[in-house]
Amino acid sequence: MNCTAFNLTPSSPFFPEKNSRLIARTRTHDFGFTRKRLKRCRMVAMATSLELELPLLPFSLNEVLVPSESKTLHLYEARYLGLLEESLMRKNKLFVHFVLDPIIIENSTEEASFAARNGCLVFIENVERLEVGALVSIRGIGRVKIVKFVQADPYLKGVVIPVQDRVPDSVSKLHPKVMQVKEALYSLNSLEIKLKAPKEAQLQTRIANSLMWTEKELLLDCNEAFFPSLAERVSFAALQPVSGSTESELLKLQQEKLRAMDLRDSFQRLDNSLEFVKDNISRVAAKLAIQSVEMQ
């Protein structure tokens, strides 16, 4: 698999050290680009382009974001506030969240190299301005692949294409599995809200929040190829932290999220997610039993 190299010069918690290289993994026969600047996604009734030029925000490997997941960022550096402003200027309020994966390249004289992986198209749901920076609530929409970097300063920008699961021979076979996962998630949510929590805590868990989002109609005006199917969205909705998770449980979740992002089979991911949810149900039920004994 060939790679496209890009030299990174900014220095911040989001970027590797100076003189490191950022790699976008792509097959050479998939794409043909010219030096001409690619057009951004226009807000028209029928957007047809399978390419979007968008701001890119990098994170470490342990911060992968999956479709349907929500996350709050505190942006305060000038370059990232600039990224925010550009994203807000677009009516669709989109940018790309991705992770930097350290890799080893033979015969490389560079200090370090990184692969751009696990790209997730995100929508800005809310912005709260602060004295220093802003709190930005984002929502993962669907997976994307970075195929070209077009800007490094003041923030990264690149061209992305959608990544979706392969279409199964019979879509109808997915429906029963989708319903199983949803029912398991409802059961987990009903248990989770019974756990001890601060009085001001909301009864809606992150799992319930993601599941509700999967059932909404996506109204963003870009090519529908960027929006995953219901089965794919539900398969990712299960991958949310449960209240009171231990470090080992969060590590297992992280590993599950990384595996899910690499899969291209909705049925397999639904199967994996169902087993993951069942394990969480057992753990939360055990915690509730202990909680009940302590309250007696």
Side-chain angles (χ1 to χ4, degrees):
M1 182 175 289
N2 290 341
C3 299
T4 302
F6 188 82
N7 290 324
L8 281 181
T9 55
S11 177
S12 79
F14 290 123
F15 282 91
E17 293 300 322
K18 208 168 184 180
N19 298 324
S20 295
R21 293 197 300 170
L22 184 60
I23 309 297
R25 293 175 176 171
T26 175
R27 293 187 297 273
T28 56
H29 62 272
D30 281 349
F31 319 105
F33 297 110
T34 66
R35 293 183 180 277
K36 182 178 179 181
R37 188 177 182 83
L38 295 172
K39 294 181 179 179
R40 296 175 182 172
C41 176
R42 299 297 182 185
M43 302 307 297
V44 294
M46 293 295 291
T48 58
S49 176
L50 284 178
E51 298 172 355
L52 288 178
E53 184 181 308
L54 293 171
L56 311 173
L57 191 56
F59 292 84
S60 60
L61 190 60
N62 62 351
E63 294 186 82
V64 62
L65 184 80
V66 299
S68 82
E69 184 178 4
S70 63
K71 185 176 185 177
T72 299
L73 309 173
H74 181 198
L75 302 182
Y76 53 88
E77 289 190 43
R79 65 175 70 115
Y80 297 121
L81 291 175
L83 180 152
L84 172 63
E85 294 306 324
E86 174 171 341
S87 299
L88 291 174
M89 286 175 60
R90 303 165 180 268
K91 292 182 180 179
N92 54 15
K93 300 180 181 179
L94 299 175
F95 66 88
V96 174
H97 178 296
F98 74 101
V99 299
L100 293 172
D101 185 10
I103 60 174
I104 298 175
I105 299 179
E106 293 182 2
N107 302 320
S108 175
T109 58
E110 302 288 345
E111 293 182 1
S113 294
F114 296 81
R117 295 186 57 209
N118 302 119
C120 188
L121 183 68
V122 301
F123 170 71
I124 298 173
E125 293 189 317
N126 186 61
V127 177
E128 180 184 348
R129 303 289 180 175
L130 305 175
E131 288 187 12
V132 179
L135 289 179
V136 184
S137 299
I138 62 175
R139 174 78 62 176
I141 302 296
R143 291 172 294 170
V144 294
K145 176 185 286 187
I146 302 170
V147 295
K148 185 179 181 181
F149 293 96
V150 298
Q151 174 181 301
D153 190 42
Y155 49 83
L156 282 174
K157 190 183 295 185
V159 177
V160 300
I161 60 171
V163 174
Q164 287 195 13
D165 288 344
R166 292 181 290 271
V167 179
D169 296 334
S170 177
V171 179
S172 62
K173 293 181 179 179
L174 288 174
H175 182 69
K177 187 63 68 175
V178 169
M179 296 308 298
Q180 281 184 284
V181 174
K182 290 174 66 174
E183 289 171 5
L185 288 173
Y186 289 133
S187 297
L188 177 57
N189 179 67
S190 65
L191 289 174
E192 189 180 354
I193 60 178
K194 296 176 183 177
L195 288 171
K196 284 184 178 179
K199 292 182 179 180
E200 66 273 12
Q202 297 181 355
L203 290 181
Q204 184 190 77
T205 68
R206 293 180 65 174
I207 287 173
N209 179 276
S210 291
L211 188 56
M212 289 175 61
W213 179 87
T214 65
E215 298 175 330
K216 290 182 178 180
E217 182 180 2
L218 300 180
L219 301 177
L220 299 179
D221 194 2
C222 284
N223 192 296
E224 63 180 10
F226 284 91
F227 306 136
S229 66
L230 174 63
E232 190 172 335
R233 297 200 301 270
V234 171
S235 71
F236 280 112
L239 306 178
Q240 308 298 323
V242 175
S243 299
S245 294
T246 63
E247 287 188 13
S248 62
E249 288 168 350
L250 291 174
L251 178 59
K252 183 177 180 180
L253 170 62
Q254 173 66 18
Q255 293 170 342
E256 197 67 33
K257 287 166 69 174
L258 289 169
R259 179 166 66 147
M261 289 292 278
D262 288 335
L263 271 178
R264 296 291 299 276
D265 185 329
S266 292
F267 196 90
Q268 182 62 59
R269 192 184 305 102
L270 285 165
D271 249 353
N272 295 346
S273 294
L274 183 58
E275 290 304 311
F276 185 74
V277 174
K278 287 180 178 178
D279 286 344
N280 276 333
I281 288 175
S282 297
R283 279 196 290 269
V284 174
K287 291 178 181 179
L288 283 173
I290 295 172
Q291 178 178 297
S292 177
V293 171
E294 291 176 344
M295 294 177 64
Q296 292 178 357

